[in-house]
Amino acid sequence: MKKSDYLTNTIEHFDIKSHNVINLVDSMEKMAFSARDLNRAAQIYDEMLKDKDTTIILTLAGSIFSAGLKKIVFDLIENNMVDVIVSTGALMIDQDFFEALGFKHYIGSQYADDNELRELHIDRIYDTFIDEDELRICDDTTAAIFDSLEPRPYSSRELLWHFGKYLEENGGPKTDDSVIYSAYKNNVPIFVPAFSDCSAGFGIVMHQTKYPDKHVSFDSGKDFLELTKIKLESKETGIFMVSGGVPKNFTQDIVVAADILRENVPMHKYAIQITVADVRDGALSSSTLREASSWGKVETTFEQMVYSEATLALPLIAGYAYHKRNWENRERHNFTKIFL
């Protein structure tokens, strides 16, 4: 088979605007197990949107944009349903920025011959295919952005603002559903605390090799400080976590950091998490929100774990809150002044 035989049918991103799931999710309230959990999570997210004192932080991990969930996050930004994003680098650069450059993810198969894929320069994410040659262009583009910047340490938020600016100047119609570009336009800060762990990591290696004595670098301490400042600036905070990993822990930890800087900072008032991780192994991604309360990070009044794969749960929870339309009454946050 030729490369073009594999890269034929593209992943289509789910559109929450086209599917009113209110009745479906409401019907789950009188069911049991994960259905009832999902209903309660959807209601808690809607409560976050009703609460005008609450800053909503969305955390993202897992390969969910390549799986068709990118437009949901785009719509959450566009409709003022999220104020801050904390994500893995793979989602923001290898998947969102990658598509904003004009590239696509393709419907594949987990049963494909991986040796043949390697020969054809096709990368596989379970049942999804990506053109490795296009990913290399993404790597090179990140390096070019770093080359264009003043050599100094940057927070990931600062760098992703420059990625959004690059798309404004070079993206054209390909940016229509880009999360990075929408966040740039709407002053929604994006943090990627492990920024080297993605295509930008390859870009920074190229950039720092080219400029060994004077170069751009990633300041993860500044990331933590900036997100902590958002916590200090907010009356209340709510976290909507899709999967776990570094974004989850990073976002929960800002309560402790804020409390160190100013005593009696409130815990996250609202918290929901979608995960398939098993709580019994003690891993970070699976740790419950009630466990986080023992660390002084999350209140337990409005918290809900949803044990479900994200492509099933996120469209229902986000779609429910979108069609309830309580986001229409929110004022958009702008934290720009605290970063100056």
Side-chain angles (χ1 to χ4, degrees):
M1 293 179 66
K2 302 187 300 295
K3 189 173 190 175
S4 59
D5 295 327
Y6 283 103
L7 306 181
T8 301
N9 300 310
T10 59
I11 293 288
E12 300 294 331
H13 294 286
F14 189 88
D15 184 357
I16 56 174
K17 301 188 299 298
S18 300
H19 304 277
N20 190 332
V21 297
I22 289 178
N23 290 338
L24 173 63
V25 175
D26 277 342
S27 70
M28 294 178 172
E29 185 175 13
K30 296 183 179 179
M31 295 175 66
F33 311 133
S34 294
R36 193 189 301 167
D37 291 344
L38 187 145
N39 169 271
R40 187 164 185 270
Q43 292 190 39
I44 290 172
Y45 183 35
D46 193 41
E47 285 298 318
M48 292 190 217
L49 294 167
K50 291 179 187 176
D51 190 337
K52 295 182 180 180
D53 290 334
T54 295
T55 296
I56 300 174
I57 305 173
L58 177 69
T59 82
L60 303 168
S63 192
I64 59 174
F65 286 0
S66 65
L69 296 180
K70 182 186 71 170
K71 196 174 188 306
I72 294 179
V73 177
F74 171 85
D75 284 329
L76 296 185
I77 299 171
E78 289 288 305
N79 294 289
N80 195 23
M81 297 173 71
V82 60
D83 303 305
V84 183
I85 295 175
V86 182
S87 176
T88 62
L91 280 172
M92 288 301 145
I93 308 302
D94 302 46
Q95 295 176 31
D96 179 79
F97 188 71
F98 172 81
E99 289 200 353
L101 294 176
F103 306 127
K104 298 292 184 181
H105 294 87
Y106 295 88
I107 296 173
S109 170
Q110 65 271 38
Y111 304 112
D113 184 337
D114 290 296
N115 291 319
E116 183 176 7
L117 295 180
R118 177 74 295 237
E119 291 178 2
L120 294 173
H121 291 195
I122 297 173
D123 300 330
R124 180 171 69 87
I125 306 174
Y126 189 59
D127 58 357
T128 303
F129 295 153
I130 310 166
D131 188 332
E132 169 67 21
D133 296 324
E134 292 175 346
L135 271 176
R136 293 297 177 94
I137 295 173
C138 185
D139 300 341
D140 292 340
T141 305
T142 69
I145 292 172
F146 298 142
D147 289 349
S148 72
L149 300 179
E150 174 191 353
R152 64 173 176 84
Y154 290 78
S155 69
S156 61
R157 176 200 60 81
E158 291 177 287
L159 290 170
L160 284 163
W161 185 89
H162 283 287
F163 277 61
K165 183 181 180 183
Y166 175 90
L167 292 176
E168 181 172 66
E169 295 171 351
N170 301 278
K174 300 185 290 295
T175 63
D176 284 351
D177 61 355
S178 167
V179 169
I180 290 175
Y181 185 53
S182 179
Y184 168 82
K185 290 188 301 177
N186 291 290
N187 290 314
V188 173
I190 301 176
F191 294 89
V192 175
F195 205 32
S196 293
D197 190 23
C198 67
S199 192
F202 301 123
I204 203 69
V205 166
M206 288 185 275
H207 165 72
Q208 292 190 358
T209 299
K210 186 176 180 181
Y211 301 102
D213 299 320
K214 204 172 184 181
H215 50 247
V216 168
S217 61
F218 304 157
D219 188 342
S220 62
K222 194 172 185 181
D223 277 339
F224 199 18
L225 176 59
E226 289 185 349
L227 192 57
T228 299
K229 285 182 176 180
I230 290 175
K231 175 61 181 170
L232 290 168
E233 187 78 8
S234 304
K235 291 182 180 179
E236 301 286 356
T237 45
I239 48 176
F240 184 173
M241 297 186 288
V242 183
S243 303
V246 172
K248 173 185 177 179
N249 196 59
F250 190 75
T251 303
Q252 292 186 146
D253 275 353
I254 62 171
V255 180
V256 179
D259 192 65
I260 290 170
L261 297 178
R262 188 178 71 203
E263 289 186 8
N264 299 318
V265 171
M267 292 185 283
H268 292 305
K269 181 177 179 180
Y270 306 93
I272 57 179
Q273 183 186 1
I274 300 167
T275 185
V276 292
D278 190 336
V279 68
R280 296 173 299 177
D281 64 6
L284 169 65
S285 293
S286 64
S287 64
T288 65
L289 296 166
R290 289 185 176 273
E291 179 181 309
S293 181
S294 75
W295 294 74
K297 299 174 181 179
V298 174
E299 291 184 16
T300 58
T301 306
F302 301 103
E303 59 82 23
Q304 184 62 57
M305 302 288 296
V306 181
Y307 291 98
S308 171
E309 198 266 306
T311 57
L312 300 175
L314 184 58
L316 296 177
I317 295 172
Y320 180 85
Y322 173 81
H323 287 282
K324 294 288 278 190
R325 305 194 76 82
N326 283 303
W327 48 269
E328 292 179 335
N329 300 315
R330 298 186 81 227
E331 291 186 11
R332 190 175 285 278
H333 290 268
N334 186 350
F335 295 106
T336 304
K337 63 182 182 297
I338 70 174
F339 302 134
L340 298 177

